[in-house]
Amino acid sequence: MAELTKEEVKHVAHLARLAITEEEAEKFALQLGAITEFAEQLKELDTTNVEPTTHVLPLVNVLREDVATKGLDRETMMLNVKEQEAGQVKVPAIME
Amino acid sequence: MTLFERSAKELQELIHSKEVSIADLTKEAFDRVEKLDGDVEAFLALNKEKATATAAELDQVPFEERGPLFGLPIGVKDNIVTEGLETTCASKILEGFNPIYDATVVKKLRAAGMVTIGKLNMDEFAMGSSNENSAYKTTKNPWSLDRVPGGSSGASAAAVAAGEVPFSLGSDTGGSIRQPAAYCGVVGMKPTYGRVSRSGLVAFASSLDQIGPITRNVEDNALLLEAISGVDPMDSTSANVEVPNFAAALTGDIKGLRIAVPKEYLGEGVGEAARASVMEALKVLESLGATWEEVSLPHSKYALATYYILSSSEASSNLSRFDGIRYGFRAENVTNLMDLYKETRAQGFGNEVKRRIMLGTYSLSAGTYDAYYKKAQQVRTLIKEDYDKVLADYDVIIGPTAPTPAFKIGEIVEDPLTMYANDILTIPINLAGVPAISIPCGFEDGMPLGLQIIGNYFDESTIYRVAHAYEQATDFHKKTPQIWEVK
């Protein structure tokens, strides 16, 4: 498990939406291999019937009253958008 | 010398006796930044124009309407959003990003009448322990400019240590407030998870992140924590518990206090000076009426691996929002949407951030989820139970904040595992979610050492009481770096 191939690294990079070069793929294969090998030590522990902790506080379903409140206005929301047209966010072609 | 050698209480006395105005204090902060920040390099953005105008307005508010922090200057870590003031998380991917709202803590600072001086450098997206991972600059340790200030809230600690500002906010995911506080000889508190709203804190690892105060003394720290605490409808993980008057806990009385000292905190890798300073501190606390016993937190050795997996997994999900479309950096010369995502992220993120996104994505991907992510969550339960058991029998847990004083810039940054090892004393505390403070407790070769005091959930009051009693019995917090005096 600890050994990562370059192909696996490229697949993970695709899932993470990161462009990587061949050199980076090699470097990440080594680094991620070292870190996952380090993480193998967790297997020493028997965790049968141990509940996973997602959050330390016993919080469940934090809900507010179902009342509409005003959100941010559109002009403000668009302030940081680099490319826009007619109040809409512009992106490159989605399909070929 | 600077006005900022004084505590909040002393500064208020000066203001009330009209010896200084809020405008004077604000000017002092910008003057100090101008004089010192060329060397310290703590600030990424300054809020001079607005802060100066705000100070003049605040000077008009009647004294009886002012609280204990009114008019005092503060620096804010750059992963906390500030409306109209550039917020980058020290990453290229957020270059030029001007937030359109204030974080809840920033609103609370304003409600307390504090004046935001500027934004403080950090490791990119809070990933690192030295500030060397900033995409913009490497902040220096005011005690020795060839050393790191720690991280990731390195500049938040350095700016306070250099007397550029008397207060700052940092954030702590695996030690990011406490370790730099120790390295820079200041007081840094990581509150209980849920004590402070995370709304407007750019998320790194949502189940671990907490915002907290960095100050020069314990009382100021208690005042600032009170000002920023409380449940928030904008953060569903903020806890609906009462916010006490933390400063009222500073009675100086720790008679009968039960202290636990985990043997794992003084084990291999902890330097002789750090160990000795903790033993010396225990003697001081004993002389004040406390008792201590050695205990064990048997799962400590697994905390680091658990942290790698959980924090990276959460980061890989949280950082997926940076896609170049709605804000921040956007890659040019790309012809389709997938390439826009991939190129923006490849060019915008630094190496450490990419490495953690990759690790997190891998841990969460099909076929590895149970072996890594779920396993780490289960081990987290065991780590938390270690703390629950000890804190059922003791009031606080004490140990060093870091195994050594600040290391030299560039010293071990090449080896990620060594860098992470520096966090081993602080990480389990975030996994358990309990509060912990670092306060100055000695020096090694002129560099500060930190004492860590850990308490039970939502019992920051006891931590502050112990920290304050120790502080009053020692004078480490009164020492200032040489740079403090210059020019």
Side-chain angles (χ1 to χ4, degrees), chain B residues 107-142:
Chain B
K107 288 183 187 144
K108 284 175 177 283
L109 295 181
R110 195 177 326 108
M114 296 194 85
V115 180
T116 299
I117 299 303
K119 302 303 290 288
L120 291 158
N121 195 28
M122 52 188 281
D123 289 292
E124 184 178 359
F125 285 105
M127 296 174 183
S129 344
S130 68
N131 270 34
E132 290 166 296
N133 289 341
S134 166
Y136 298 101
K137 50 169 80 165
T138 298
T139 300
K140 314 299 187 297
N141 191 312

Short mmCIF file of all heavy atoms in Angstrom, two decimals, chain B residues 107-142:
data_model
loop_
_atom_site.label_atom_id
_atom_site.label_comp_id
_atom_site.label_asym_id
_atom_site.label_seq_id
_atom_site.Cartn_x
_atom_site.Cartn_y
_atom_site.Cartn_z
N LYS B 107 -15.78 41.13 13.18
CA LYS B 107 -16.94 41.92 13.64
C LYS B 107 -16.88 42.12 15.14
O LYS B 107 -17.18 43.19 15.67
CB LYS B 107 -18.26 41.21 13.28
CG LYS B 107 -18.58 41.24 11.80
CD LYS B 107 -19.93 40.60 11.54
CE LYS B 107 -20.17 40.49 10.05
NZ LYS B 107 -20.89 39.25 9.68
N LYS B 108 -16.47 41.07 15.84
CA LYS B 108 -16.40 41.16 17.30
C LYS B 108 -15.28 42.10 17.75
O LYS B 108 -15.42 42.81 18.75
CB LYS B 108 -16.22 39.77 17.91
CG LYS B 108 -17.51 38.95 17.93
CD LYS B 108 -17.28 37.54 18.43
CE LYS B 108 -18.56 36.74 18.51
NZ LYS B 108 -19.39 37.08 19.68
N LEU B 109 -14.17 42.10 17.02
CA LEU B 109 -13.09 43.04 17.34
C LEU B 109 -13.60 44.46 17.19
O LEU B 109 -13.33 45.34 18.01
CB LEU B 109 -11.88 42.86 16.41
CG LEU B 109 -11.09 41.56 16.47
CD1 LEU B 109 -9.92 41.61 15.49
CD2 LEU B 109 -10.60 41.27 17.88
N ARG B 110 -14.36 44.68 16.12
CA ARG B 110 -14.89 46.02 15.89
C ARG B 110 -15.87 46.40 17.00
O ARG B 110 -15.83 47.52 17.52
CB ARG B 110 -15.54 46.11 14.52
CG ARG B 110 -15.75 47.57 14.14
CD ARG B 110 -16.33 47.86 12.77
NE ARG B 110 -15.96 46.96 11.73
CZ ARG B 110 -16.79 46.07 11.18
NH1 ARG B 110 -18.03 45.96 11.60
NH2 ARG B 110 -16.38 45.30 10.21
N ALA B 111 -16.71 45.45 17.39
CA ALA B 111 -17.68 45.72 18.47
C ALA B 111 -16.96 46.06 19.78
O ALA B 111 -17.45 46.84 20.58
CB ALA B 111 -18.59 44.51 18.66
N ALA B 112 -15.76 45.46 19.96
CA ALA B 112 -14.98 45.75 21.17
C ALA B 112 -14.22 47.06 21.04
O ALA B 112 -13.56 47.49 21.98
CB ALA B 112 -14.01 44.60 21.45
N GLY B 113 -14.27 47.68 19.86
CA GLY B 113 -13.59 48.95 19.63
C GLY B 113 -12.12 48.80 19.28
O GLY B 113 -11.36 49.77 19.38
N MET B 114 -11.70 47.60 18.87
CA MET B 114 -10.28 47.43 18.53
C MET B 114 -10.01 47.94 17.10
O MET B 114 -10.89 47.98 16.26
CB MET B 114 -9.87 45.96 18.66
CG MET B 114 -9.99 45.47 20.10
SD MET B 114 -9.17 43.90 20.38
CE MET B 114 -7.49 44.45 20.71
N VAL B 115 -8.76 48.32 16.86
CA VAL B 115 -8.38 48.90 15.58
C VAL B 115 -7.49 47.91 14.82
O VAL B 115 -6.39 47.58 15.28
CB VAL B 115 -7.63 50.23 15.79
CG1 VAL B 115 -7.24 50.84 14.44
CG2 VAL B 115 -8.48 51.21 16.59
N THR B 116 -7.96 47.44 13.67
CA THR B 116 -7.19 46.49 12.87
C THR B 116 -6.07 47.20 12.12
O THR B 116 -6.33 48.08 11.29
CB THR B 116 -8.09 45.74 11.87
OG1 THR B 116 -9.07 45.02 12.61
CG2 THR B 116 -7.29 44.76 11.03
N ILE B 117 -4.83 46.84 12.43
CA ILE B 117 -3.66 47.49 11.83
C ILE B 117 -3.30 46.88 10.48
O ILE B 117 -2.90 47.58 9.56
CB ILE B 117 -2.46 47.40 12.81
CG1 ILE B 117 -2.79 48.11 14.12
CG2 ILE B 117 -1.18 47.93 12.19
CD1 ILE B 117 -3.18 49.57 13.99
N GLY B 118 -3.45 45.57 10.35
CA GLY B 118 -3.13 44.94 9.08
C GLY B 118 -3.21 43.44 9.17
O GLY B 118 -3.63 42.88 10.19
N LYS B 119 -2.78 42.79 8.07
CA LYS B 119 -2.88 41.34 7.95
C LYS B 119 -1.50 40.72 8.07
O LYS B 119 -0.51 41.23 7.52
CB LYS B 119 -3.49 40.97 6.59
CG LYS B 119 -4.87 41.58 6.36
CD LYS B 119 -5.90 41.22 7.44
CE LYS B 119 -6.33 39.77 7.40
NZ LYS B 119 -7.18 39.44 6.26
N LEU B 120 -1.46 39.60 8.79
CA LEU B 120 -0.19 39.00 9.17
C LEU B 120 0.13 37.74 8.37
O LEU B 120 -0.72 36.88 8.15
CB LEU B 120 -0.21 38.71 10.67
CG LEU B 120 -0.20 39.99 11.51
CD1 LEU B 120 -0.74 39.74 12.91
CD2 LEU B 120 1.21 40.58 11.56
N ASN B 121 1.40 37.66 7.98
CA ASN B 121 1.92 36.54 7.19
C ASN B 121 1.73 35.21 7.92
O ASN B 121 1.51 35.16 9.13
CB ASN B 121 3.41 36.80 6.94
CG ASN B 121 3.99 35.92 5.86
OD1 ASN B 121 3.29 35.49 4.94
ND2 ASN B 121 5.28 35.63 5.96
N MET B 122 1.87 34.14 7.18
CA MET B 122 1.61 32.79 7.71
C MET B 122 2.20 31.79 6.73
O MET B 122 2.61 32.15 5.63
CB MET B 122 0.10 32.58 7.84
CG MET B 122 -0.66 32.89 6.54
SD MET B 122 -2.45 32.88 6.72
CE MET B 122 -2.76 31.12 6.70
N ASP B 123 2.23 30.51 7.11
CA ASP B 123 2.50 29.49 6.11
C ASP B 123 1.27 29.38 5.23
O ASP B 123 0.14 29.48 5.72
CB ASP B 123 2.78 28.15 6.79
CG ASP B 123 4.13 28.14 7.49
OD1 ASP B 123 5.15 28.19 6.80
OD2 ASP B 123 4.15 28.10 8.74
N GLU B 124 1.48 29.18 3.95
CA GLU B 124 0.37 29.16 2.99
C GLU B 124 -0.76 28.25 3.48
O GLU B 124 -0.53 27.08 3.79
CB GLU B 124 0.91 28.67 1.62
CG GLU B 124 -0.16 28.70 0.54
CD GLU B 124 0.38 28.26 -0.82
OE1 GLU B 124 1.58 27.94 -0.93
OE2 GLU B 124 -0.43 28.22 -1.77
N PHE B 125 -1.94 28.79 3.56
CA PHE B 125 -3.13 28.08 4.04
C PHE B 125 -2.90 27.42 5.40
O PHE B 125 -3.49 26.39 5.73
CB PHE B 125 -3.64 27.06 3.02
CG PHE B 125 -4.35 27.72 1.87
CD1 PHE B 125 -3.75 27.83 0.62
CD2 PHE B 125 -5.61 28.28 2.04
CE1 PHE B 125 -4.38 28.47 -0.42
CE2 PHE B 125 -6.26 28.92 0.99
CZ PHE B 125 -5.64 29.02 -0.25
N ALA B 126 -2.00 27.98 6.19
CA ALA B 126 -1.70 27.52 7.56
C ALA B 126 -1.00 26.17 7.57
O ALA B 126 -1.01 25.46 8.58
CB ALA B 126 -2.97 27.49 8.42
N MET B 127 -0.38 25.80 6.45
CA MET B 127 0.29 24.50 6.36
C MET B 127 1.79 24.67 6.53
O MET B 127 2.52 24.93 5.56
CB MET B 127 -0.03 23.83 5.03
CG MET B 127 -1.51 23.52 4.90
SD MET B 127 -1.91 22.91 3.27
CE MET B 127 -3.68 22.72 3.42
N GLY B 128 2.24 24.54 7.77
CA GLY B 128 3.67 24.65 8.03
C GLY B 128 3.92 25.12 9.44
O GLY B 128 2.99 25.53 10.14
N SER B 129 5.17 25.05 9.87
CA SER B 129 5.52 25.42 11.24
C SER B 129 6.64 26.43 11.28
O SER B 129 7.36 26.52 12.27
CB SER B 129 5.96 24.19 12.04
OG SER B 129 5.60 23.02 11.42
N SER B 130 6.81 27.22 10.21
CA SER B 130 7.97 28.12 10.19
C SER B 130 7.73 29.43 9.46
O SER B 130 8.57 30.31 9.52
CB SER B 130 9.13 27.40 9.50
OG SER B 130 8.84 27.22 8.13
N ASN B 131 6.63 29.58 8.79
CA ASN B 131 6.34 30.70 7.89
C ASN B 131 7.20 30.68 6.62
O ASN B 131 7.09 31.58 5.80
CB ASN B 131 6.48 32.06 8.59
CG ASN B 131 5.16 32.50 9.22
OD1 ASN B 131 4.39 31.67 9.69
ND2 ASN B 131 4.88 33.77 9.21
N GLU B 132 8.03 29.66 6.47
CA GLU B 132 8.82 29.56 5.24
C GLU B 132 7.95 29.15 4.06
O GLU B 132 8.35 29.29 2.91
CB GLU B 132 9.96 28.56 5.42
CG GLU B 132 11.04 29.05 6.36
CD GLU B 132 11.97 27.94 6.80
OE1 GLU B 132 11.50 27.01 7.47
OE2 GLU B 132 13.15 27.99 6.46
N ASN B 133 6.75 28.62 4.34
CA ASN B 133 5.85 28.22 3.25
C ASN B 133 4.97 29.36 2.75
O ASN B 133 4.06 29.11 1.98
CB ASN B 133 4.94 27.07 3.70
CG ASN B 133 5.71 25.77 3.88
OD1 ASN B 133 6.80 25.62 3.35
ND2 ASN B 133 5.14 24.84 4.62
N SER B 134 5.22 30.58 3.19
CA SER B 134 4.46 31.70 2.64
C SER B 134 4.88 31.94 1.20
O SER B 134 6.06 31.82 0.87
CB SER B 134 4.73 32.97 3.45
OG SER B 134 4.28 34.12 2.74
N ALA B 135 3.91 32.27 0.34
CA ALA B 135 4.25 32.56 -1.06
C ALA B 135 4.84 33.96 -1.20
O ALA B 135 5.32 34.32 -2.27
CB ALA B 135 3.01 32.42 -1.93
N TYR B 136 4.79 34.75 -0.13
CA TYR B 136 5.19 36.16 -0.26
C TYR B 136 6.48 36.53 0.45
O TYR B 136 7.31 37.24 -0.09
CB TYR B 136 4.06 37.07 0.22
CG TYR B 136 2.81 36.88 -0.60
CD1 TYR B 136 1.75 36.11 -0.14
CD2 TYR B 136 2.72 37.43 -1.88
CE1 TYR B 136 0.61 35.91 -0.91
CE2 TYR B 136 1.58 37.24 -2.66
CZ TYR B 136 0.54 36.48 -2.17
OH TYR B 136 -0.58 36.28 -2.94
N LYS B 137 6.65 36.10 1.69
CA LYS B 137 7.85 36.47 2.43
C LYS B 137 8.06 35.51 3.59
O LYS B 137 7.12 34.82 4.00
CB LYS B 137 7.75 37.91 2.94
CG LYS B 137 6.45 38.21 3.69
CD LYS B 137 6.48 39.53 4.43
CE LYS B 137 6.23 40.74 3.55
NZ LYS B 137 5.91 41.95 4.35
N THR B 138 9.29 35.49 4.10
CA THR B 138 9.58 34.67 5.28
C THR B 138 9.70 35.61 6.47
O THR B 138 10.63 36.42 6.54
CB THR B 138 10.87 33.86 5.09
OG1 THR B 138 10.69 32.97 3.99
CG2 THR B 138 11.18 33.05 6.34
N THR B 139 8.76 35.51 7.39
CA THR B 139 8.82 36.33 8.60
C THR B 139 9.98 35.86 9.48
O THR B 139 10.30 34.68 9.51
CB THR B 139 7.48 36.21 9.36
OG1 THR B 139 6.44 36.68 8.49
CG2 THR B 139 7.49 37.04 10.63
N LYS B 140 10.63 36.84 10.14
CA LYS B 140 11.79 36.53 10.97
C LYS B 140 11.41 36.52 12.45
O LYS B 140 10.48 37.22 12.86
CB LYS B 140 12.89 37.58 10.75
CG LYS B 140 13.17 37.93 9.29
CD LYS B 140 13.65 36.72 8.50
CE LYS B 140 14.11 37.07 7.09
NZ LYS B 140 13.04 37.62 6.24
N ASN B 141 12.15 35.76 13.23
CA ASN B 141 11.94 35.76 14.67
C ASN B 141 12.57 37.01 15.28
O ASN B 141 13.77 37.23 15.12
CB ASN B 141 12.56 34.50 15.29
CG ASN B 141 12.14 34.30 16.73
OD1 ASN B 141 12.20 35.23 17.54
ND2 ASN B 141 11.71 33.10 17.05
N PRO B 142 11.80 37.85 15.97
CA PRO B 142 12.34 39.10 16.51
C PRO B 142 13.51 38.88 17.48
O PRO B 142 14.31 39.78 17.69
CB PRO B 142 11.16 39.73 17.24
CG PRO B 142 9.96 39.11 16.64
CD PRO B 142 10.36 37.73 16.24
#
